[in-house]
């Protein structure tokens, strides 16, 4: 692997739009792409795995990390604290691996203010009703919480304008293919490839002896 620094991809959009689903699947498809796991004070859901979905910590431990400046970004979302380790993200980027993370809309805005190079992707549902259905079908939130998330979504969707890319998550396979395409395209930006290209172009430089002459 080359000594290039990794890229940071942030995937945002309203709750229930499919961010986690898309991010989990794209990680399984794209090599050298890792998920930045958040710390949270929210109780663990039965399907969740510690260290894969979240690091579940007490409010006290979270506050200690926050006061010590260990979190690159943090927020209170629906009454619980969420944040990510600065060192963990930096370590992956330094090692040349790309980092992807899913985050709510306010968190994405906070990341943008860090003036860190990043690629931002907004996920939209095909309609309000489809979003409502996905949140209900997920069965992870009680109804008042679903209603609350939907009310917030009415405002959040307008933030699509602040992002580099927008994906409409209607058919999952198509949305996934688009997310993968964005990541691969960003990896192939000319300025990212300069170092690799130099080696190729070097073979085209004039020399005294041209093969066959
Ligand atoms: P988020 O991380 O944005 O809150 P999730 O990834 O948890 O959303 O997705 C919410 C629910 O919608 C899940 O039950 C998931 O399986 C489902 N889902 C995600 N994408 C699609 C899709 N394209 N079509 C149908 N259901 C979807
Ligand atoms: P959930 O509890 O449903 O897993 O997540 C609730 C919301 O918190 C989601 O919108 C999720 O993207 C967001 N979230 C997860 N981790 C972080 C984080 O580290 N920072 C911020 N700001 N939001 C996060």
């Amino acid at each position: 692997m080359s000594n290039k620094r990794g890229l940071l991809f942030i995937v945002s959009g309203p709750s229930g739009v499919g961010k986690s689903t898309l991010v989990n699947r794209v990680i399984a498809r794209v090599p050298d792409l890792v998920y930045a796991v958040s710390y949270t004070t929210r109780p663990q859901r039965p399907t969740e795995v510690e260290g894969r979905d979240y690091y579940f910590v007490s409010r006290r431990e979270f506050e200690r990390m926050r006061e010590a400046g260990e979190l690159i970004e943090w927020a209170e979302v629906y009454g619980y604290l969420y944040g990510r380790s600065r060192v963990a993200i930096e370590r992956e980027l330094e090692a040349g691996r790309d980092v992807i993370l899913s985050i709510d809309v306010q968190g994405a805005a906070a990341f943008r203010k860090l003036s860190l190079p990043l690629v931002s992707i907004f996920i939209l549902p095909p309609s309000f009703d489809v979003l409502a259905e996905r949140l209900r079908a997920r069965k992870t939130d009680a109804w008042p919480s679903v209603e609350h998330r939907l009310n917030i979504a009415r405002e959040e969707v307008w933030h699509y304008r602040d992002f580099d890319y927008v994906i409409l998550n209607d058919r999952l396979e198509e949305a996934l293919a688009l997310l993968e395409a964005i990541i691969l395209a960003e990896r192939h930006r000319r300025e990212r490839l300069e170092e690799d290209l130099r080696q190729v172009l070097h073979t085209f430089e004039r020399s005294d002896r041209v093969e066959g002459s």
Side-chain angles (χ1 to χ4, degrees):
M1 195 179 205
S2 77
N3 54 10
K4 274 199 292 265
R5 192 179 154 81
L7 292 166
L8 179 60
F9 294 94
I10 65 169
V11 176
S12 192
S15 179
V17 75
K19 299 183 293 294
S20 316
T21 308
L22 285 165
V23 167
N24 285 337
R25 292 189 187 211
V26 85
I27 284 169
R29 279 200 194 190
V30 178
D32 294 319
L33 180 68
V34 295
Y35 182 64
V37 180
S38 295
Y39 289 80
T40 184
T41 60
R42 169 170 73 61
Q44 189 169 356
R45 293 172 186 152
T47 55
E48 288 176 329
V49 176
E50 161 81 19
R52 184 195 68 185
D53 300 292
Y54 285 103
Y55 296 110
F56 297 94
V57 292
S58 64
R59 187 167 264 264
R60 191 183 170 146
E61 171 60 6
F62 191 99
E63 283 166 356
R64 186 205 61 75
M65 294 175 74
R66 189 182 60 190
E67 302 327 318
E70 292 174 18
L71 302 174
I72 188 166
E73 176 275 341
W74 70 273
E76 183 147 5
V77 189
Y78 316 119
Y80 297 110
L81 296 168
Y82 297 81
R84 287 183 165 94
S85 157
R86 185 188 308 275
V87 173
I89 292 178
E90 193 51 40
R91 198 190 307 123
E92 297 294 348
L93 295 175
E94 273 297 310
R97 277 185 291 275
D98 293 346
V99 174
I100 192 166
L101 52 89
S102 94
I103 196 161
D104 71 303
V105 174
Q106 53 164 320
F111 259 95
R112 238 183 267 105
K113 286 201 190 111
L114 295 173
S115 59
L116 201 78
L118 57 83
V119 179
S120 62
I121 303 151
F122 194 78
I123 315 292
L124 265 179
S127 69
F128 180 86
D129 287 348
V130 169
L131 180 66
E133 192 40 46
R134 283 187 194 161
L135 271 173
R136 280 178 209 131
R138 190 168 67 177
K139 296 195 174 82
T140 48
D141 311 291
W143 166 245
S145 175
V146 168
E147 195 175 31
H148 181 56
R149 285 166 197 236
L150 285 171
N151 275 331
I152 290 175
R154 288 188 193 278
E155 309 291 325
E156 284 177 331
V157 289
W158 299 101
H159 287 272
Y160 76 91
R161 300 186 183 101
D162 304 329
F163 288 73
D164 299 319
Y165 296 94
V166 178
I167 296 177
L168 194 70
N169 181 19
D170 187 356
R171 287 159 55 112
L172 185 60
E173 274 308 315
E174 285 172 20
L176 181 59
L178 284 172
L179 181 56
E180 183 177 6
I182 290 166
I183 293 165
L184 298 182
E186 284 291 334
R187 284 183 177 181
H188 286 79
R189 278 184 171 278
R190 183 204 8 95
E191 60 273 21
R192 297 265 315 152
L193 293 178
E194 287 293 355
E195 198 184 303
D196 305 332
L197 295 181
R198 220 172 295 134
Q199 287 173 29
V200 176
L201 295 171
H202 181 67
T203 69
F204 285 79
E205 279 169 6
R206 283 186 187 281
S207 64
D208 290 345
R209 200 175 61 83
V210 176
E211 204 67 41
S213 67

